[in-house]
Amino acid sequence: MKDETLNHSVDEVREYHSDSCGIFFRVERSVYRGRSQFQSIEIFDNPFFGRVLMLDGLVQTTIRDEHYYHEMLVHPAMMTHPDPKRILIIGGGDGGVLREVLRHPIEKAVLVEIDDQVLDVSEKYFPWLAAAKKDPRAEIIVDDGNVYIENASCSFDVVLIDSSDPVGPSSVLHARDFYIRLKKILSPEGIIAAQVGSPFFHAAVLADKKEFLAEIFPGVRFYVGPVPTYPGGTWCYAFMSVKPDFPEPRNEPLEGLKYYNPPVHQGAFALSEALKIRLDADQPD
Ligand code: AG3
């Protein structure tokens, strides 16, 4: 692309949020470009957001805003379960979700990532996320999450689904069958938290998901949080449990957070009128 102000060509990367709009990043430095068995992997530095990871052309994480997503996928579930000790992370090969999980006094966190190249490049180019994988409480498994849960012999207190959008290797992690299987490996008070997409761009997908999740789980609640680089800037997550009600979150202080705190937790479950209607959700105001 030609940049009029610089009067020379600069590299630019875009993610389309619809056919006609999206987000672009100026590439200050291209760090890695490759294709794994599963997806394209692109890593570059942007002057504003810092290092950016894209998979199949979709923004996964940037230095500047990764904390919103990682904290909001992890801490609501970890603070709501009365005593989370065994944690399962599906996806999340970059290590950001694991880093947040390890802030809690857990016994074991198993991370199941399908793409070993995501694990490798994260270690090289996102060490501040990937360092968590060296923690003695962490076990990293390269496997298809869908296959892993089919054969898992133990149960988990909290399961976190850190997938990409429902395209490519992540699509199975958004499907009904996957959640039917997941339910079987949940401990009696277990909670699943999953990223489900943009309430603005993916409302129909969210509504569909809410419907089938409510058929599988007695307890289902959706919540939202900001992620500036994801489509629409607000992201939606789902909570599921085999109990119909979720306990009040614990209030214990957590070190080193930038976004999550108890009032943010409460507020995240307040959905807009439009989203409530769309989801037909039984949510508090
Ligand atoms: N996983 C969720 C990425 C979803 C982004 N979607 C998009 N940009 N269209 C993030 C992985 C970070 N650990």
Side-chain angles (χ1 to χ4, degrees), residues 219-237:
V220 180
R221 287 181 77 192
F222 278 43
Y223 64 98
V224 290
V227 186
T229 52
Y230 287 179
T234 296
W235 211 243
C236 197
Y237 308 82

Side-chain angles (χ1 to χ4, degrees), residues 29-44:
R29 189 165 89 88
S30 177
V31 174
Y32 179 88
R33 246 182 218 168
R35 171 154 267 291
S36 75
Q37 191 192 338
F38 302 100
Q39 54 205 342
S40 73
I41 302 174
E42 173 146 26
I43 300 170
F44 58 88

